[in-house]
Amino acid sequence: GARTHTYIRGRAMFGWLKKVVHNDPNTPEERFLSHWLRIEEIYNSDRTYSATSTHTEDDVVDFRRHLDVITKQLIGELKTGTPGPCFDLLLQRDVVPLLTAAVQTDRPPGVAVHTLDVLGNFVEYFGELLVPHEAVHKSINTMIMVMRQIISDPQLTASKRHNIPRLRVALIRFIVTTLQKISKHKELGSFFFFKSLNTGPEFKILDGLLELYFGGNEDDQDMCRPAILDCLQIESDDLATYLCEHTVFVKTLGTKLGEEFKKNLGQVNLSGKATDSASRTFLFFNECALRSQSRLAHEFCGIFQKNFLESDLQSQLMDMNETVALRATNTAKELLFLTAPALLDVVVSFLIEPSVISTLVKRIAQSPSPTIVGNTLALIEVMLALNRKEIFDCLIGDWLRSGVFDVDQQTQVTDVEADQLYQWFMGTASPSAYSDYVLDAESVISKLVNNLDDSTIHHHSVVSPTANQVITDSLHENSRAQPTQTSVSPFVQAIITRVENILDQPYNVNVALTGVISRLVSQLDPLTHSYFLNPFLPLRATTPSFLLSLKNVISDGKSEAESLEDFAVRVDNARRVLSGTVGSTPAQLDEERLVFAVVVSEELVKEMSAMVAAKAVMRDLYHNLEDLYNDPLGDTLE
């Protein structure tokens, strides 16, 4: 015990002597000042540094250590609730101006990156208190401008250039941190976006951000994107006015993105997947338009439209070269996944031009290349999935309204039920055969109903109309069309042509074909529902029957396939492949082409029958909802 007591007294005495000898400060502000004076001493030293100098390494280590100490003090002081004496010293001693100068001069050599990160911490933790001081925001703006010049200077010596990648990343981090702070404290924007009323606007931080984005590698761009998007949604009237009226930032960003977009339009590989560069450009352009305020979004749309229309996509879509056409088709499909309405409008308007639609339809009907046919069908499916009236009308809507039903045989009209449709195709009624598909069909119909708006294709009759209603609609629509139907829809004829060739087509073409048909049979438009799902409605003599063509193919397929050895086992294997339970090779798919064709066509019939059942359920549901709405006391439910 005595030895322990002596040891403790000795340690205490040693600590006291150390303070006396080194004049160790006692208060937080004294400690802060002591470390800062050492930083100033190192920075202002007249010492000449060289790559081999031992002083260089020692000074850098000391500079960083003292800087880390005062940073820790400042952050710790802020966590107590309010700035204290250390923060006051930060302003009094012009800490930020000296640190920005240290970044610009990299003095002592090797401190620039670390110091930039420390300045980022200052902005992140107490930027709203620090930035409004003129010496602070003025020095930061100057630093950004100087660092941009240093990073892009081609005359740098090799010894300095090796450090540029690290400086670039540090500068990006600092700018991103600053803009994130501005997005949370809008009032700070004026200190970076405007120099003064007398000297005009400054835009160093945003110009620097764009410079770093477009001049950087993929990692740099990944870091910059969130900050750019933050800028576009900063809710500041001053900033919005500046961006809209001067449009330096938006025009620079939009124009350069547009150039990248145009360059990347063809960078979609043959499998249908966009290259990483193309995907990033498409998605980033889309995000910029979504985040922008209305005026900025309009600016973006104009730039996008200009570059899109100036591209070679249209000529590539219609090119006779298979590779060129395939890339263009896949690129168009990729663009349909844009979610910014203004940008999507541009793409849709381009795709529904008569020359483009005509080319796509001819390719479906006539191309000898299964790959081209399959990818074109996939593009049409994505177009239909948008559920837009203009797409639907140019493919099939206008033709259906021209009068496809025989209105003189109205007395023969009957409505169709799911069991009846399945039996008409397959010869037997078997609700259990398609029961697994009904829930999926109901989900599809529910989404379509929930997404109804003025731009959709549907009439007021939302689901599964009565047959008499369809005839009435057809008669009403036909009164505004030509007296007699003189032509067949090229799109419908192309689909029927492919249906008639199901038994001879590769598996991937048949799957793509059923994808398009699934989109068509799910439509809530009464005429579409009746043409694709009701075999009992009388058609005009000039109207080709999709349903009859499909029925004939199924009958022929079963007749041919049943003569095959182990037919039942092979069908079961094909169903497992189709469901994804087991894999398959292209050779196996080709060898079993007939079996897979039979399975695909039968699965399509099940899906169509389930869609009829789902629409009937939804029709009853909506009728019940209407009754409840008209009888709020609940008598109907009783």
Side-chain angles (χ1 to χ4, degrees):
R3 291 178 64 185
T4 302
H5 180 68
T6 302
Y7 173 77
I8 292 173
R9 289 186 62 191
R11 292 290 299 171
M13 180 64 71
F14 176 77
W16 179 81
L17 285 172
K18 183 179 177 183
K19 287 184 179 182
V20 170
V21 173
H22 294 282
N23 191 26
D24 199 17
N26 291 306
T27 64
E29 55 266 41
E30 287 176 347
R31 288 196 294 274
F32 181 95
L33 186 58
S34 173
H35 289 291
W36 178 248
L37 289 173
R38 178 58 184 149
I39 291 172
E40 285 184 335
E41 180 185 347
I42 295 171
Y43 178 76
N44 292 319
S45 170
D46 292 332
R47 183 178 294 151
T48 301
Y49 295 104
S50 67
T52 58
S53 170
T54 57
H55 297 297
T56 302
E57 185 176 347
D58 293 342
D59 285 349
V60 170
V61 171
D62 270 358
F63 191 97
R64 290 177 178 175
R65 180 172 64 82
H66 291 294
L67 191 54
D68 288 343
V69 171
I70 67 168
T71 303
K72 187 175 180 181
Q73 274 190 270
L74 285 164
I75 294 174
E77 185 179 81
L78 190 68
K79 288 180 178 178
T80 62
T82 57
C86 292
F87 185 80
D88 293 338
L89 283 171
L90 175 72
L91 297 174
Q92 293 169 13
R93 303 294 304 191
D94 286 335
V95 171
V96 173
L98 189 144
L99 293 182
T100 57
V103 171
Q104 296 168 53
T105 58
D106 195 26
R107 181 178 179 85
V111 301
V113 172
H114 186 74
T115 307
L116 253 178
D117 287 337
V118 168
L119 286 169
N121 287 332
F122 285 1
V123 171
E124 180 180 0
Y125 283 98
F126 35 87
E128 64 272 26
L129 303 171
L130 189 62
V131 167
H133 294 273
E134 184 177 359
V136 173
H137 62 254
K138 191 172 182 180
S139 60
I140 288 177
N141 272 314
T142 301
M143 177 192 70
I144 292 172
M145 180 180 68
V146 172
M147 292 308 296
R148 285 167 52 199
Q149 294 171 350
I150 291 174
I151 288 172
S152 59
D153 186 1
Q155 304 300 323
L156 283 180
T157 61
S159 60
K160 290 185 176 181
R161 180 153 290 284
H162 84 279
N163 199 38
I164 290 300
R166 295 175 62 238
L167 271 176
R168 173 186 290 278
V169 171
L171 184 59
I172 291 173
R173 278 200 301 264
F174 176 78
I175 290 178
V176 168
T177 299
T178 304
L179 290 171
Q180 287 174 342
K181 194 71 175 181
I182 293 172
S183 68
K184 296 175 183 176
H185 300 271
K186 311 298 186 294
E187 69 280 1
L188 299 182
S190 59
F191 300 111
F192 292 102
F193 304 140
F194 299 95
K195 184 177 180 182
S196 71
L197 294 176
N198 296 327
T199 58
E202 288 286 330
F203 228 46
K204 292 186 178 72
I205 192 167
L206 296 184
D207 288 346
L209 182 62
L210 294 186
E211 210 169 78
L212 292 165
Y213 176 82
F214 289 106
N217 56 33
E218 291 179 5
D219 291 336
D220 295 343
Q221 292 180 344
D222 288 341
M223 292 175 63
C224 290
R225 283 191 194 96
I228 292 175
L229 295 175
D230 282 341
C231 283
L232 291 173
Q233 60 182 3
I234 291 175
E235 295 177 2
S236 163
D237 290 339
D238 289 340
L239 177 59
T241 300
Y242 183 86
L243 291 177
C244 291
E245 292 180 357
H246 298 276
T247 59
V248 175
F249 177 69
V250 173
K251 278 190 175 177
T252 303
L253 174 62
T255 301
K256 290 192 174 182
L257 267 178
E259 291 169 357
E260 280 197 2
F261 172 84
K262 187 160 58 173
K263 181 181 69 176
N264 287 321
L265 271 176
Q267 294 188 12
V268 177
N269 61 36
L270 298 183
S271 67
K273 182 180 179 182
T275 63
D276 290 341
S277 175
S279 289
R280 278 195 300 270
T281 304
F282 295 163
L283 293 175
F284 188 39
F285 212 126
N286 186 63
E287 283 296 312
C288 285
L290 282 174
R291 301 285 186 96
S292 303
Q293 301 175 47
S294 58
R295 288 182 290 176
L296 301 184
H298 179 75
E299 189 78 36
F300 267 103
C301 181
I303 294 169
F304 173 88
Q305 186 171 20
K306 177 179 181 293
N307 284 277
F308 185 79
L309 296 178
E310 287 178 355
S311 72
D312 295 327
L313 185 60
Q314 185 171 13
S315 61
Q316 291 173 359
L317 269 174
M318 297 184 286
D319 200 291
M320 297 302 294
N321 181 285
E322 180 178 326
T323 302
V324 173
L326 188 56
R327 288 186 190 279
T329 301
N330 291 334
T331 300
K333 184 172 64 177
E334 185 87 8
L335 291 173
L336 289 174
F337 290 100
L338 295 173
T339 54
L343 303 188
L344 189 58
D345 286 346
V346 175
V347 179
V348 169
S349 298
F350 164 82
L351 287 175
I352 63 173
E353 287 185 11
S355 58
V356 176
I357 288 293
S358 176
T359 299
L360 296 178
V361 170
K362 285 180 182 177
R363 199 159 276 158
I364 291 172
Q366 301 173 9
S367 175
S369 166
T371 305
I372 285 286
V373 174
N375 279 268
T376 306
L377 285 167
L379 172 60
I380 295 293
E381 181 186 353
V382 175
M383 291 171 65
L384 287 169
L386 294 176
N387 203 35
R388 294 176 65 128
K389 185 178 187 303
E390 61 270 39
I391 294 175
F392 175 79
D393 282 349
C394 76
L395 288 174
I396 191 173
D398 290 340
W399 174 72
L400 285 172
R401 288 192 294 272
S402 71
V404 299
F405 299 106
D406 190 342
V407 296
D408 295 329
Q409 300 186 46
Q410 184 170 355
T411 56
Q412 300 178 15
V413 173
T414 58
D415 296 321
V416 67
E417 295 182 359
D419 290 351
Q420 289 177 297
L421 180 62
Y422 187 84
Q423 183 174 11
W424 186 80
F425 273 116
M426 311 304 296
T428 58
S430 178
S432 60
Y434 59 85
S435 57
D436 292 340
Y437 290 75
V438 174
L439 285 178
D440 290 338
E442 288 178 0
S443 176
V444 171
I445 298 301
S446 295
K447 289 178 181 177
L448 288 173
V449 171
N450 291 333
N451 291 331
L452 285 178
D453 58 39
D454 292 338
S455 65
T456 53
I457 65 174
H458 316 296
H459 302 298
H460 294 296
S461 176
V462 172
V463 289
S464 187
T466 64
N468 284 325
Q469 177 191 342
V470 172
I471 290 293
T472 304
D473 287 344
S474 180
L475 183 61
H476 172 69
E477 294 291 344
N478 195 41
S479 67
R480 295 180 298 174
Q482 297 297 325
T484 58
Q485 187 186 45
T486 57
S487 62
V488 176
S489 162
F491 171 68
V492 172
Q493 188 60 65
I495 294 299
I496 291 176
T497 299
R498 284 298 160 188
V499 166
E500 291 171 346
N501 287 281
I502 280 180
L503 301 180
D504 302 314
Q505 291 171 165
Y507 172 75
N508 68 303
V509 172
N510 287 338
V511 170
L513 175 63
T514 57
V516 172
I517 295 171
S518 296
R519 291 291 176 187
L520 291 169
V521 300
S522 67
Q523 298 295 337
L524 305 183
D525 173 65
L527 294 174
T528 311
H529 170 91
S530 299
Y531 179 76
F532 285 100
L533 291 174
N534 193 341
F536 306 117
L537 286 178
L539 300 174
R540 285 188 171 186
T542 55
T543 303
S545 174
F546 160 80
L547 290 167
L548 190 58
S549 297
L550 179 58
K551 181 180 181 179
N552 291 337
V553 165
I554 292 173
S555 177
D556 293 344
K558 289 176 67 175
S559 299
E560 289 185 39
E562 286 176 353
S563 62
L564 297 175
E565 185 178 352
D566 298 325
F567 173 68
V569 175
R570 293 160 77 171
V571 166
D572 183 59
N573 289 336
R575 292 191 192 283
R576 292 168 63 195
V577 170
L578 197 60
S579 65
T581 307
V582 296
S584 64
T585 64
Q588 290 172 327
L589 293 175
D590 196 54
E591 289 173 6
E592 296 289 295
R593 179 177 293 192
L594 177 61
V595 175
F596 274 101
V598 170
V599 172
V600 167
S601 57
E602 289 184 358
E603 294 301 305
L604 176 60
V605 168
K606 294 177 184 178
E607 188 173 344
M608 292 166 62
S609 301
M611 194 61 68
V612 172
K615 288 184 177 182
V617 170
M618 294 299 292
R619 179 187 61 199
D620 293 340
L621 172 63
Y622 273 78
H623 286 171
N624 288 337
L625 289 176
E626 288 177 5
D627 291 340
L628 181 61
Y629 177 79
N630 295 325
D631 188 13
L633 296 179
D635 295 338
T636 301
L637 294 182
E638 293 177 1

